[in-house]
Amino acid sequence: MTVLDRRTLNRTLLERQFLLDRTGLPALDVVRRLVAVQGQEPNWPYVGLWTRIDGFRHTALTELFTRRAVVRSTVLRRTQHVLAAEDFAWLRPTVQPVVSVALTHSYYADEIGGIALDALAKAGRDALTGHTLVRHRLGQLLAPGFPDRRPTRLAQAVELLEPLVHPPPNGVWGAWGHRRETPVALAEEFTGIPMAGADHRTMVLRYLAAFGPAGVMDVQAWSGLTRLREVTEALRPELRTYRDEHGTELFDLPGLPLADPGRPAPVRFLPAYDNVALGHRDRRRIITDEDRRRIAPNASTGVPLFLVDGFVHGSWSLTEEGLRVVPFRDLRQAERAAVQEEATRLLAFAAPGRDAVVFA
């Protein structure tokens, strides 16, 4: 069995993620290739597509939202993502077990304990049929049927029980940070696409096309699901297998090539939560264990990262003046110049009018 070294895995991942060469594909095709683009905060998917698509403009994604070709909702790992409407129809049912398990956590359990969840889901569907409502208003409509419960918590629970989406203007480019008054709508009504059944087979194959070669635990880390060994084993006759340098078995689609490990990799700036840095259990193909520990204290709030020679080399953040770059290790003169150049380009996209690039 062929053994793949770290640089081969790194370059292959970057190539499939459009991070070696920016692509000229339309934004919708890129979203489909990535399966789902992390969108915990609405502006981050725009940065994620900018770093992958040549000449990407804000309107390219905003137009997809307004014509309902993409949606924003809770899917992978119970977090917000942007994905094609037709992909949401099968992916949300597939990951529903990891979405709904949140209801057992104390944040919800203390408020919905004793409630018949089927009744709460039906009440939510009834309130939303024919309407788009902000969470606060949905909670007000649910409250009379579930007295002595927090209305907003009831509305949030319905989002975990039912496939809802966040219509514009919620997900479109705007002020940085989380948006207030999140609107919700029934996915089937909003997109016009019926929800499908769970499709683990498609999920694994689509994951491998975007993130492979990868192991079973990698697929589980990306999706949030467990017990995918049986699914992968059923697919084994259709897949190619490798091992990494640590002996872990990796699966891949047979028609997809591996990248040249010696190929140069340009500086790339990643948005917070980008799945290229979160999409594997073993993330050493793009970030060292030391750097993972370095960013761990702030990981839950999102740490935008940048790549040098294909690997995480530091973090970045927007400031009132411009962009602050925090290298984790010394940069050589040529590397620093390349980081400076890419940071300046990012500023022109993400924060027009700010022009200061500051190295910490």
Side-chain angles (χ1 to χ4, degrees):
M1 188 179 296
T2 303
V3 175
L4 304 180
D5 62 23
R6 190 168 71 127
R7 288 188 66 88
T8 298
L9 292 173
N10 172 267
R11 294 311 195 253
T12 302
L13 175 63
L14 297 183
E15 187 170 73
R16 295 186 188 182
Q17 292 278 320
F18 305 112
L19 293 170
L20 281 182
D21 294 308
R22 283 185 166 95
T23 181
L25 290 173
L28 183 56
D29 289 348
V30 174
V31 171
R32 286 175 175 145
R33 167 75 74 85
L34 302 177
V35 188
V37 178
Q38 244 291 354
Q40 201 69 359
E41 293 185 19
N43 282 358
W44 287 129
Y46 287 81
V47 176
L49 294 179
W50 171 86
T51 207
R52 289 172 166 90
I53 299 176
D54 187 32
F56 177 78
R57 298 183 182 276
H58 301 87
T59 52
L61 181 55
T62 298
E63 288 173 358
L64 295 178
F65 276 115
T66 56
R67 64 184 176 90
R68 308 186 183 192
V70 301
V71 295
R72 180 174 184 258
S73 186
T74 305
V75 280
L76 303 170
R77 305 184 302 279
R78 216 164 42 248
T79 57
Q80 298 296 313
H81 281 75
V82 173
L83 62 166
E86 63 265 31
D87 285 337
F88 181 78
W90 63 263
L91 185 57
R92 173 59 186 259
T94 304
V95 299
Q96 183 60 40
V98 75
V99 173
S100 56
V101 77
L103 295 170
T104 64
H105 301 168
S106 60
Y107 179 83
Y108 290 101
D110 293 346
E111 287 295 324
I112 65 172
I115 290 178
L117 296 183
D118 288 348
L120 177 58
K122 182 180 184 304
R125 289 195 303 272
D126 291 346
L128 286 166
T129 298
H131 304 284
T132 294
L133 303 172
V134 296
R135 282 177 181 155
H136 177 69
R137 179 56 181 157
L138 175 58
Q140 288 179 327
L141 295 175
L142 294 170
F146 305 92
D148 302 321
R149 310 291 176 137
R150 295 184 189 181
T152 302
R153 201 66 50 83
L154 293 173
Q156 292 171 331
V158 169
E159 284 195 65
L160 299 177
L161 292 166
E162 291 292 313
L164 307 185
V165 297
H166 300 165
N170 176 263
V172 303
W173 181 266
W176 286 91
H178 294 287
R179 309 286 163 80
R180 300 181 63 185
E181 297 296 331
T182 299
V184 291
L186 296 170
E188 289 185 331
E189 277 197 353
F190 185 78
T191 65
I193 302 173
M195 299 303 293
D199 191 345
H200 296 86
R201 183 180 190 278
T202 293
M203 184 188 73
V204 171
L205 294 175
R206 291 282 297 276
Y207 168 82
L208 291 176
F211 294 88
V216 174
M217 299 299 288
D218 294 321
V219 191
Q220 294 185 167
W222 169 79
S223 65
L225 294 170
T226 58
R227 301 179 180 178
L228 293 180
R229 173 72 62 183
E230 182 177 344
V231 178
T232 309
E233 286 298 327
L235 286 167
R236 182 182 289 274
E238 304 174 39
L239 301 177
R240 186 171 183 181
T241 57
Y242 303 96
R243 291 198 183 277
D244 67 15
E245 295 173 304
H246 309 285
T248 302
E249 186 176 37
L250 307 176
F251 297 90
D252 200 13
L253 304 186
L256 295 183
L258 302 173
D260 177 359
R263 187 174 174 187
V267 169
R268 290 289 185 254
F269 279 78
L270 303 176
Y273 309 107
D274 195 296
N275 277 325
V276 76
L278 299 176
H280 299 84
R281 168 77 176 275
D282 183 352
R283 301 176 192 169
R284 286 174 291 186
R285 69 184 66 197
I286 195 167
I287 184 171
T288 66
D289 290 338
E290 178 186 2
D291 286 344
R292 283 187 67 180
R293 288 191 292 270
R294 187 194 305 269
I295 66 175
N298 300 311
S300 62
T301 57
V303 180
L305 302 167
F306 68 89
L307 310 179
V308 173
D309 189 31
F311 294 90
V312 169
H313 204 97
S315 64
W316 64 275
S317 60
L318 290 175
T319 67
E320 290 298 320
E321 295 75 28
L323 193 147
R324 183 171 183 263
V325 178
V326 183
F328 295 159
R329 287 165 295 284
D330 290 340
L331 291 164
R332 295 193 295 269
Q333 184 176 357
E335 292 172 338
R336 185 183 178 94
V339 171
Q340 172 96 27
E341 180 181 359
E342 187 72 355
T344 301
R345 294 183 66 252
L346 174 56
L347 265 178
F349 173 83
R354 308 182 204 179
D355 55 12
V357 175
V358 178
F359 286 80

